[in-house]
Amino acid sequence: MVSGQREQILEAALEVLAARGFKGTSIDAVAERAGLTRQGVLHYFPSKKRLLLEILNFREQLHREHLADRRVGEDWAGDFAEAVAFEQDHPSLAAVHSVVLAEAVTGQEPAAGYVRERCCSLQDHLTASLVERYGQRLPSGLSAPTAAAAVLALVEGVHQLWLVDPEAHRYPQIVRETMSVLLGAETATTESQSPATKG
């Protein structure tokens, strides 16, 4: 099945990119990991740059599919906590994110362009959503743009921390509680309040 083979390639590429970074990743290495020929990979992804961008889109798609059963937006603190928990169950997703972020910081393309665009897009989208729900200022007293930047900084920082923290299971709850303060919502204090804190 075509779509199945395409996903197989993306899953293999996730693992290779997480381990080697963009410069260290080759079409041949991805093909070997996927059990395909080089031409088999190039049939779907004609360049390494195209493959990287598709990997990053695939990561976002997996997140959306995971949250599909939630009524996203009703409990933002829980939504973000669940997203962190999901990546903890799939560490290659977080590792790829960290690799791409590190390469973006050093100006390597296409990582730098992707991260710049994604950061601006996420902040703009979250700011607009906060304004729609709360107005220009949140119950916590923060302005919508400040809260949006703080939330994204929290999630980015947590990504880096739990990858090297032996007690990584606590981070979904940290995200939930901190976001509750940032947003001015009722703070969740027990793990039973969210499936994101299980495991």
Side-chain angles (χ1 to χ4, degrees), residues 17-71:
L17 181 64
R20 303 186 182 184
F22 181 67
K23 281 192 171 181
T25 295
S26 67
I27 296 295
D28 288 335
V30 173
E32 181 179 357
R33 181 67 62 92
L36 299 170
T37 64
R38 175 183 177 85
Q39 288 305 313
V41 174
L42 291 173
H43 173 73
Y44 295 99
F45 308 102
S47 69
K48 192 169 78 166
K49 177 179 178 180
R50 175 70 177 271
L51 178 58
L52 172 64
L53 296 177
E54 290 293 339
I55 291 169
L56 298 173
N57 289 333
F58 181 56
R59 175 178 173 269
E60 299 294 334
Q61 175 190 330
L62 291 176
H63 273 288
R64 287 194 298 270
E65 290 175 354
H66 176 68
L67 294 174
D69 293 334
R70 290 179 63 88
R71 301 181 69 175

Side-chain angles (χ1 to χ4, degrees), residues 14 22 27 43 46-47 52 61 78 94 103 106 135 140 148 151 162 170 173 186 189 193 195:
L14 265 174
F22 181 67
I27 296 295
H43 173 73
S47 69
L52 172 64
Q61 175 190 330
E103 294 186 345
T106 60
S140 64
V151 166
W162 74 255
R170 64 198 177 104
Q173 185 65 13
E186 182 179 352
T189 57
Q193 288 174 286

Side-chain angles (χ1 to χ4, degrees), residues 26-139:
S26 67
I27 296 295
D28 288 335
V30 173
E32 181 179 357
R33 181 67 62 92
L36 299 170
T37 64
R38 175 183 177 85
Q39 288 305 313
V41 174
L42 291 173
H43 173 73
Y44 295 99
F45 308 102
S47 69
K48 192 169 78 166
K49 177 179 178 180
R50 175 70 177 271
L51 178 58
L52 172 64
L53 296 177
E54 290 293 339
I55 291 169
L56 298 173
N57 289 333
F58 181 56
R59 175 178 173 269
E60 299 294 334
Q61 175 190 330
L62 291 176
H63 273 288
R64 287 194 298 270
E65 290 175 354
H66 176 68
L67 294 174
D69 293 334
R70 290 179 63 88
R71 301 181 69 175
V72 174
E74 291 189 356
D75 174 19
W76 282 348
D79 294 341
F80 278 88
E82 182 64 32
V84 171
F86 177 68
E87 291 219 340
Q88 289 183 332
D89 289 336
H90 302 82
S92 63
L93 297 179
V96 162
H97 178 79
S98 295
V99 166
V100 170
L101 183 61
E103 294 186 345
V105 168
T106 60
Q108 297 182 46
E109 296 291 353
Y114 173 84
V115 170
R116 283 194 301 270
E117 182 178 343
R118 182 174 181 274
C119 285
C120 291
S121 175
L122 286 174
Q123 286 201 48
D124 289 346
H125 178 73
L126 185 52
T127 297
S129 297
L130 291 170
V131 170
E132 181 179 0
R133 176 173 291 192
Y134 300 108
Q136 292 296 329
R137 196 159 295 277
L138 280 63

Side-chain angles (χ1 to χ4, degrees), residues 148-171:
V151 166
L152 295 177
L154 167 68
V155 174
E156 291 290 353
V158 162
H159 267 123
Q160 307 307 311
L161 291 174
W162 74 255
L163 283 169
V164 297
D165 189 342
E167 296 184 8
H169 63 276
R170 64 198 177 104
Y171 282 100

